[in-house]
DNA sequence: GGTCGGGAGAATGTATACATGAAAGCGAGC
DNA sequence: GCTCGCTTTCATGTATACATTCTCCCGACC
């Protein structure tokens, strides 16, 4: 593919580290140690820090440097609500405008691929990556088909929250995945028939629901992590 | 206030230049001429270009530099639709959570100030800046009161489109301004009474309508600019 | 003993030199 | 005459040296 600069590489690495929770919330990030860790000079590191600040992952104060922004369940839910509103809007616009043959084919393909991957009654671990890719393709195609580049830009930003990325999913419940893929069926149907309002409502609910699932997942995890210490 | 770095200063200057339409759509921006023009080295210019790229004002390709992104009426309308969805969501969340005494007081004050500035039956030119500030305060207070920092971040991005900033308004029609301020009255009422859904709908319409007004304004301008040449 | 002020150290901000890669023009060969 | 490829030129990418400012600590003065 296309060659990437050190800046881009460092940005991606650092973003990944932050999204994975490598750093503590509020932890300060110093340029020089980061540069040494990444094996580059301060220049690409500074560009990466600036980039991630604008993407909303870092806090910054003039002459005082960068710190990892703190996120709570509240922020994650809000990000999903925003994403639901934005993707719902994109879905409506796409349905109103009508999709190109090519985009319709991509969506149809996504739906069919999902059917196939889920046909065994569960999602096999070796199919995880393909399912995830299918999901990303589905959503990005609709965003693109909306004809409004800004919507994609904004949605991408809602992924820049730890745990909120569309690459993160709760995989342990087949029922939930199945329902989610059923949403795709219905969204595809609504878009094909140019039922704009229905398409919008379906997409809103689809994304909102994913956020609720993730929220419960995180809260359950937090409960498990806390409980062992205390006892009744 | 706080001291600003050259990078921040250059970023703000450059953003302003682009939003004002100083550069032609698609025009390439070279680092060295820009640096000379701004009286700084390439370093702050590069940071500014990177920042504005992420903000969505510039296009960029590796090893090929930056260009001014092209925007059409379509993009502006889409930005307003996105903003309507996001601010509507923020408004609903604010109404659901309930506002602090201080925030309620700010909104009340904004409404009263607007009444006062419009009481003469028109908006005097010398009151323009104050009205504009009032409008910004009103919207930002609600965004803050939503409790979701990401919503403010996203909305700010929708302003980063030429002509789409909340600082731009169509001032030549008192009726429209009056109606817009009447929206503020009703939004304040809905938020005070914790009528979340009503607050959301009002804010959506408030922003959407502003976008439509702006669209007509731009189209009218374009028509005037083109017509003199042809005669039928 | 507490507080204010100065200085040392360190981190960020900026400039500049150097490296890398892209694009365009010129020349040679087909 | 056209095309391919080399070379030159210039813009971007990166490293590094230097400037500025913040922070923290220590000492003097109240």
């Amino acid at each position: 593919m296309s060659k990437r600069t050190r800046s881009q590489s460092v940005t991606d690495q650092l973003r990944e580290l932050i999204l994975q929770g490598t750093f503590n919330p509020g932890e300060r990030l110093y340029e020089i140690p980061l540069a040494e860790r990444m094996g580059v000079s301060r220049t690409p590191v500074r560009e990466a820090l600036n980039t991630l600040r604008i993407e909303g992952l870092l806090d910054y104060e003039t002459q005082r440097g960068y710190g990892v922004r703190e996120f709570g369940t509240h922020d994650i839910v809000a990000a999903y609500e925003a994403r639901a509103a934005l993707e719902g809007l994109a879905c409506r616009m796409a349905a109103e405008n009508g999709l190109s043959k090519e985009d319709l084919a991509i969506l149809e393909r996504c739906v069919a691929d999902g059917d196939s991957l889920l046909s065994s009654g569960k999602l096999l671990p070796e199919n995880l990556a393909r399912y995830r890719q299918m999901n990303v393709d589905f959503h990005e195609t609709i965003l693109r088909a909306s004809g409004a580049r800004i919507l994609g830009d904004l949605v991408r930003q809602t992924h820049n929250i730890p745990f909120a990325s569309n690459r993160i999913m709760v995989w342990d419940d087949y029922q939930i995945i199945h329902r989610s893929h059923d949403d795709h069926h219905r969204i595809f149907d609504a878009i094909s028939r140019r039922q704009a309002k229905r398409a919008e409502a379906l997409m809103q609910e689809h994304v909102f629901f994913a956020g609720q699932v993730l929220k419960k997942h995180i809260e359950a995890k937090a409960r498990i992590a806390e409980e062992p210490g205390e006892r009744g």
Side-chain angles (χ1 to χ4, degrees), chain A:
Chain A
M1 283 288 165
S2 65
K3 185 137 202 186
R4 276 156 69 231
T5 64
R6 291 198 219 284
S7 287
Q8 292 167 330
S9 167
V10 168
T11 303
D12 292 343
Q13 283 180 254
L14 196 51
R15 187 192 296 110
E16 215 53 38
L17 287 174
I18 295 168
L19 290 177
Q20 284 170 11
T22 308
F23 305 104
N24 297 319
E27 180 174 344
R28 176 143 173 214
L29 296 182
Y30 294 92
E31 296 174 3
I32 296 171
L34 275 177
E36 285 170 356
R37 175 175 180 169
M38 306 282 197
V40 298
S41 78
R42 278 176 60 213
T43 305
V45 170
R46 282 179 61 82
E47 285 197 19
L49 290 170
N50 184 41
T51 298
L52 297 175
R53 169 184 69 85
I54 302 160
E55 288 185 1
L57 282 170
L58 299 176
D59 285 317
Y60 166 79
E61 271 182 292
T62 303
Q63 293 282 17
R64 236 174 284 183
Y66 296 84
V68 178
R69 183 162 156 186
E70 304 190 31
F71 291 100
T73 311
H74 183 261
D75 295 298
I76 295 167
V77 172
Y80 267 87
E81 291 216 39
R83 202 188 129 193
L86 292 167
E87 289 210 48
L89 175 58
C91 202
R92 172 162 64 77
M93 289 171 71
E96 281 168 356
N97 302 334
L99 265 64
S100 68
K101 248 183 198 159
E102 296 77 33
D103 283 343
L104 270 177
I106 293 174
L107 292 188
E108 193 166 16
R109 173 86 195 225
C110 284
V111 169
D113 282 356
D115 285 349
S116 155
L117 292 168
L118 295 176
S119 60
S120 67
K122 56 185 171 182
L123 181 59
L124 301 169
E126 63 264 35
N127 288 333
L128 227 149
R130 279 166 65 197
Y131 188 88
R132 207 174 65 177
Q133 187 60 50
M134 177 280 291
N135 189 52
V136 170
D137 289 347
F138 187 84
H139 285 267
E140 289 198 342
T141 298
I142 291 171
L143 281 169
R144 184 159 29 79
S146 75
R149 181 170 154 187
I150 191 173
L151 290 179
D153 290 351
L154 292 170
V155 168
R156 225 160 286 128
Q157 202 166 325
T158 67
H159 293 160
N160 280 335
I161 290 189
F163 309 113
S165 165
N166 63 350
R167 294 163 306 181
I168 308 284
M169 291 186 114
V170 178
W171 301 106
D172 44 12
D173 190 332
Y174 175 77
Q175 291 300 327
I176 288 173
I177 296 174
H178 192 277
R179 170 171 167 176
S180 171
H181 184 60
D182 191 61
D183 286 346
H184 283 200
H185 271 273
R186 292 204 260 173
I187 290 167
F188 173 64
D189 181 66
I191 287 179
S192 312
R193 296 169 185 248
R194 313 281 295 266
Q195 297 168 333
K197 204 165 177 182
R198 180 179 167 228
E200 176 172 27
L202 283 168
M203 180 60 91
Q204 274 185 1
E205 173 59 21
H206 175 62
V207 174
F208 180 78
F209 182 70
Q212 293 297 306
V213 169
L214 184 59
K215 179 188 175 188
K216 281 179 192 159
H217 190 74
I218 291 170
E219 284 173 347
K221 255 192 170 172
R223 217 173 298 123
I224 291 165
E226 278 176 17
E227 287 218 342
E230 36 194 328
R231 202 82 174 116

